[in-house]
Each structure stands twice: as structure tokens, then as C-alpha cells.
Amino acid sequence: MDSQVIVALALSLVGGLSTSLGALLVILSGAPSLKMLGLLQGFAAGLMLSISFFDLVHNAINSIGFLKGNLWFFAGIIFFAIVVTFIPEPQIAPASEGKRKKENGDEGGKDMLKKHRRQVFYSGIVTAIGISLHNLPEGMAVFLGSLKGLRVGLNLAFAIALHNIPEGVAVALPVYFATQSKWEAFKLATLSGFAEPLGVVVVAYLFPSSLNPEILEGLLGAAVKAVFFGMAFMSASLYFLQISLPEDMSL
């Protein structure tokens, strides 16, 4: 394997594994309540939206023009909407009998809570897939940056690592809340980060000579929509969960 590819893979792993760090912050804090889930998810969403609008979309429009930037923008929306239709609704392993009795007052309440936990889990999966699609072109960018010099690659990998931490939080939070499983939350967040080294492999072996910068900028701008879709789905799930639960039931 070429030394440049090895260096780019190592740098992309630094960024990709930062999602694992975000997941660790979640699972080491204990299972979140519904209120805390909303607060932390909103915080993570704010960080990701700021990075997306002030950096990725802005750079894409400046690099490839307003028309092409917006075409990639809406192409990302359509593409991810199609992807979501193929995601099956997940099943959640039932909690212990004692825990179910503590959390739920009757069978109807238990069924309702189980249904909404599945919806929250589904939103976590949607977010993870969206972030994976977003991380893929980031890995490509790390590879192209490392070709210009180790310092450029390091700076780029460090910047990506910083904003991948809230991405890990955004994936792990709903999964941990819905499944009460630290391993499931950590695993899904980590897998979403592995899309970055995959991006290095894709650009190194499928585009060995060069990758059109217009394509890369467009992919980065389009992938933002996947993240937005996942976060919007998450917010809607939390809202409907809150208004549908009986007042005497708490999470």
C-alpha cells in the first residue's frame, strides 16, 4: 500500500474515531431522561448546523457557484429521502420485567412507550446513516489534503475530529435512550465514523490520478442534507413522544 494512502488512512481514523469519543461522553453519563435527551440533542444539532451552514455549504457555493451548489444541495435531499425509505423499522429487545413495571403503569402505557422507543431508535439509525454519508467525502478531503503535505492533512484531520465529536453524540444519544444499551450506542456511532477511512480508500483506488474538486465540494454540500434530515426526524420523534405519554409516566 502506498505510504500516502497509509498516512491518509491514519489521519482519517483520527477524525472517524472522534465519533467514538462523542459516544463515550454519552454512555459514561448514564441513560438520559427525555428532557436531557432533548437538550443534548439540540446542543449537538446546533453545533453541526453551524459547521454545515457556515463552512461546508458556504465553501461549496463559493467553489462551484450558486447554481451548482444548490443543485448538489437538493440532490442530497432527494437522495437521502430515497435512502430512508429502504431503512426497516428496528426492533428493541424487551427490558426486564422489574424495569418495565417501574417505568409503565399498565399494558397500554407499555405498548405506547415501546412504540415510541422504536421511533427514537429508528431516528438514531437514520442519523447514523446520514452522518456516514457525510463522513465519506470528508475522508476524501483528508486524502487530498494529505497529498499537499502532512501539515495540511493534520490540520484538516484535527478540524474534522472536533466536529465529529458532536456527531457521535447525535448518534449515540437516541440509540442509548431507546435501547438502554451502551454497546449498541457506542457501536453505531463508531461505525458511522468508519466512513471516513472508507472515503480515503475510495478516492485512492477509484480516482488514483485526481478527483474533480467540484465533485468533492458538491458531495460535502449534499451530505449536509442527510444530517439535517436525521436531526429533524429525531426532533419530531421526541415531540410526539412527549405529547402522547400520560402525565403520570416519566422517562
Side-chain angles (χ1 to χ4, degrees):
M1 184 179 292
D2 189 272
S3 60
Q4 289 181 325
V5 177
I6 295 175
V7 170
L9 279 174
L11 293 176
S12 66
L13 280 172
V14 172
L17 290 176
S18 295
T19 58
S20 302
L21 179 58
L24 282 175
L25 294 177
V26 171
I27 63 180
L28 292 178
S29 302
S33 64
L34 181 61
K35 181 178 180 180
M36 184 57 65
L37 176 64
L39 289 173
L40 293 177
Q41 195 74 357
F43 177 73
L47 291 177
M48 294 162 63
L49 289 172
S50 297
I51 292 169
S52 299
F53 274 121
F54 299 149
D55 185 16
L56 298 179
V57 174
H58 175 74
N59 287 343
I61 291 177
N62 284 341
S63 298
I64 63 179
F66 181 83
L67 178 59
K68 290 182 179 179
N70 276 277
L71 287 176
W72 277 102
F73 186 97
F74 290 106
I77 296 177
I78 296 171
F79 173 73
F80 194 68
I82 294 172
V83 169
V84 168
T85 62
F86 293 97
I87 304 174
E89 185 174 343
Q91 297 297 320
I92 299 177
S96 63
E97 186 65 27
K99 191 171 185 179
R100 288 201 305 266
K101 288 181 179 179
K102 182 179 178 181
E103 289 185 343
N104 306 288
D106 52 48
E107 284 298 325
K110 287 189 286 186
D111 291 342
M112 184 190 308
L113 182 58
K114 185 176 179 180
K115 175 184 177 182
H116 286 296
R117 283 190 181 276
R118 282 202 307 269
Q119 291 176 338
V120 173
F121 189 24
Y122 178 76
S123 71
I125 294 175
V126 170
T127 303
I129 293 174
I131 287 175
S132 298
L133 293 174
H134 166 73
N135 284 342
L136 190 67
E138 282 188 347
M140 298 177 181
V142 169
F143 175 75
L144 295 178
S146 65
L147 292 180
K148 297 180 180 179
L150 181 59
R151 185 172 182 176
V152 175
L154 280 172
N155 289 339
L156 187 56
F158 180 72
I160 289 174
L162 286 179
H163 86 256
N164 277 3
I165 295 176
E167 289 180 2
V169 172
V171 174
L173 267 174
V175 176
Y176 190 24
F177 174 83
T179 66
Q180 305 294 302
S181 170
K182 295 181 179 181
W183 168 243
E184 287 294 329
F186 182 80
K187 178 179 68 175
L188 202 56
T190 300
L191 287 175
S192 68
F194 280 150
E196 287 206 15
L198 178 61
V200 172
V201 174
V202 168
V203 73
Y205 292 104
L206 295 185
F207 304 95
S209 56
S210 64
L211 176 66
N212 190 331
E214 180 176 311
I215 295 177
L216 181 58
E217 290 288 353
L219 287 173
L220 286 168
V224 170
K225 305 289 103 16
V227 178
F228 289 171
F229 191 95
M231 302 306 294
F233 193 98
M234 180 70 220
S235 299
S237 296
L238 290 175
Y239 171 74
F240 287 115
L241 174 59
Q242 184 177 27
I243 64 174
S244 60
L245 287 177
E247 293 183 358
D248 58 347
M249 291 181 63
S250 61
L251 296 175

